[in-house]
Amino acid sequence: MKRFLLSLSLIALPSSLLIAQSSPDADPNFYIYLCFGQSNMEGNAQAESVDQTNIDKRFQMLATCNFSSPSRTTGKWYKATPPIVSPDGKLGPSDYFGRTMVAALPANVKVGVVAVAMGGSPIEMFDKDKYKQKMKDNPNEWWVTLANRHYGGNPYGRLIDMGKEAQKVGIIKGILLHQGCSNNGDPNWPNMVKKIYNDMLTDLGLSADSVPLFAGETLRQENGGSCYAHNTQVNRLPQVIPTAHVISSAGCPGNGQDPWHFSAKGYRIVGKRYAYSALKVMGRETRVDPEYAMVSTLKNFFTPTGFDTEYKYKMDGKTRDMQLWGTFADKHRELLTDETTFSSEDFTITSKGKLTASEEKYGIVTAQYTDFMGTEHNIPIHVLVYTAAIKDIVSDAANTRIYTLDGRRIDKTVGDLPPGIYICNGKKMIVKP
């Protein structure tokens, strides 16, 4: 009788509770993120030398298909070197998402990504109730070829199967999505994403409260994007899915070759933004401190045609350097900086004003600063100007150009200079006694 009552109680439980969740042996410090979408999630930029080095072994990938070069087997874990998603993919947002996460998290935490994506894929390919018909209606599409080649003709099923494998060793902490060009502007897209997200949660026994969705914007119009209109739908997601977060693509450059894909730099930026959003949800927000950024001037180097200024800024407790270049207006005392943009891997500054040089005094330029979350800030740049004789400087094409700090050209070689401080080819030089 007891056995019969137990069976009835199990039948009455919600189906999601009957699905195997993370194993009791899973490492609670191994954070897993599922990634899916089309070509931008698959990765479309050729990895550069900087992308192949200094990858922390704490950042892992679960192969969701077989690779030949490098050799990888479906269902096995590997150090996350690009390409991460598939043999047809390249550098993408998951690369710098994982790198940024492990850099910001404690040393005992590992991060793993489980990614399934196909170039050109419509969102319906991840709907377990629609993908078969979608493939039947479009047998000659490239994304159908990729689905068959890498994922046994069922991309959603492969992602769920690999998600269950991942739950044996770690804890799923979030889901990353980048898709939209194939459904550009479709007002039904947010609800289609909602269904897929809910299916994933159910099939993996997850809770939306602990597994948020992070969805990235498409390439913006000002950066060469043709599917920028879809960002309206991406930004509707939090209204439809309360646990959804939008990843801005503001300032992320395109590849200059097509109107859909980011450059390697663009993927680095958007990948970091995914990480910053995930960290913020955890209460581990990482950002540039706008109160400190750009307020400390190291040097101002005046050259015949402009200036080269080095600044300090602070991010996550570390002080870093940045340079600003500008040009003189008609060789006079006014320094035009309103068209100057300078950046690092952490943020981009675009100045919004003019700076008038004044001997040994500070000038201020109001600058617009866009952080990696896509949030814009207006901050002052304090610039210490060393010279008032800018109007007397003229351009010179000589290979070696030596000037005093007040802009006077010196017709001597470096070895013949008396002790002092000089500007040589635009760089500060100190000649000691």
Side-chain angles (χ1 to χ4, degrees), residues 16-24 26 164 167-168 170 204-207:
S16 63
L17 296 181
L18 300 179
I19 299 171
Q21 300 183 34
S22 292
S23 164
K164 290 178 180 179
Q167 287 178 309
K168 295 178 181 179
L204 292 170
L206 303 171
S207 167

Side-chain angles (χ1 to χ4, degrees), residues 13-82:
L13 287 173
S15 60
S16 63
L17 296 181
L18 300 179
I19 299 171
Q21 300 183 34
S22 292
S23 164
D25 298 326
D27 182 355
N29 291 319
F30 191 7
Y31 297 174
I32 309 295
Y33 290 85
L34 308 183
C35 309
F36 74 105
Q38 56 186 106
S39 54
N40 274 311
M41 181 57 79
E42 185 181 35
N44 188 261
Q46 188 64 47
E48 299 172 355
S49 58
V50 68
D51 306 314
Q52 302 284 6
T53 58
N54 299 320
I55 303 172
D56 195 315
K57 64 182 180 181
R58 292 159 50 219
F59 177 30
Q60 299 279 304
M61 57 158 285
L62 181 65
T64 61
C65 61
N66 294 325
F67 290 68
S68 57
S69 180
S71 179
R72 293 168 178 163
T73 302
T74 303
K76 301 294 184 182
W77 288 97
Y78 300 90
K79 182 178 177 180
T81 57

Side-chain angles (χ1 to χ4, degrees), residues 369-415:
Y369 141 54
T370 303
D371 65 21
F372 267 112
M373 297 296 291
T375 303
E376 294 184 348
H377 310 267
N378 290 314
I379 60 172
I381 302 178
H382 298 263
V383 181
L384 176 61
V385 181
Y386 288 110
T387 179
I390 299 172
K391 64 180 180 181
D392 298 324
I393 299 177
V394 294
S395 123
D396 192 315
N399 292 329
T400 301
R401 293 175 278 185
I402 302 174
Y403 296 87
T404 61
L405 289 181
D406 63 2
R408 290 181 292 109
R409 172 71 184 274
I410 296 179
D411 294 318
K412 292 184 178 182
T413 63
V414 173

Side-chain angles (χ1 to χ4, degrees), residues 153-169:
N154 184 357
Y156 176 85
R158 180 63 57 86
L159 185 58
I160 296 301
D161 288 345
M162 293 298 99
K164 290 178 180 179
E165 284 296 313
Q167 287 178 309
K168 295 178 181 179
V169 295

